[in-house]
Amino acid sequence: MGGDDRTAAHDMFDADVASKGLGIELVSAGDGAAVARMRVTAAMLNGHAIGHGGFVFLLADTAFALACNSHGPVTVAAGGEINFLRPVREGDLLAAHATERTRYGRSGIYDVTVRRGDEVVAEFRGRSRTLDRDA
């Protein structure tokens, strides 16, 4: 990736201590889309020895944040929901692919598909709000 490919999302991710602390990596971000990935570790397992849904949500939410911030103005989550389709396990490499569905005024809707290889493990929909700098 050259210097011209850098977006506001890259700057945001550089300061994202939470996501980086979990080993989340920014793969790409630009034009309302983004990809982030994370390997499931033993520390992310729940009492059933499967990946805790909160970590899958966090990965999807990070990809969502990267996509909606790729345009430039500071944008935050107004809400989000996730459907867990398959369990994830220790060692799985998950990739979250975020896509902008629509932006209207200061609001937006984004879909994120979380995959383990070619297998879909979760679907996330996020609603964004661009901050009013005068607020």
Side-chain angles (χ1 to χ4, degrees):
M1 175 183 287
D4 295 337
D5 296 332
R6 194 165 170 84
T7 69
H10 292 84
D11 295 335
M12 180 199 73
F13 189 76
D14 286 348
D16 188 341
V17 177
S19 295
K20 289 172 138 186
L22 291 172
I24 294 176
E25 301 171 80
L26 186 165
V27 177
S28 63
D31 297 323
V35 178
R37 68 180 169 214
M38 174 186 80
R39 182 149 327 258
V40 178
T41 67
M44 297 175 182
L45 302 182
N46 65 20
H48 299 293
I50 59 176
H52 191 292
F55 291 104
V56 178
F57 186 99
L58 195 143
L59 172 63
D61 185 56
T62 297
F64 160 55
L66 291 166
C68 63
N69 278 280
S70 68
H71 294 294
V74 174
T75 304
V76 296
E81 64 179 52
I82 194 164
N83 292 296
F84 302 109
L85 306 175
R86 290 180 178 82
V88 299
R89 309 229 181 258
E90 182 179 357
D92 286 352
L93 180 61
L94 306 179
H97 298 257
T99 305
E100 180 180 283
R101 293 298 173 211
T102 188
R103 281 191 302 157
Y104 50 100
R106 294 188 309 142
S107 299
I109 297 173
Y110 293 77
D111 287 336
V112 183
T113 299
V114 181
R115 292 185 173 91
R116 171 183 48 225
D118 293 332
E119 185 177 35
V120 175
V121 299
E123 290 285 352
F124 172 101
R125 173 157 277 189
R127 297 178 318 280
S128 69
R129 187 75 171 166
T130 300
L131 295 182
D132 182 354
R133 297 217 185 257
D134 296 330

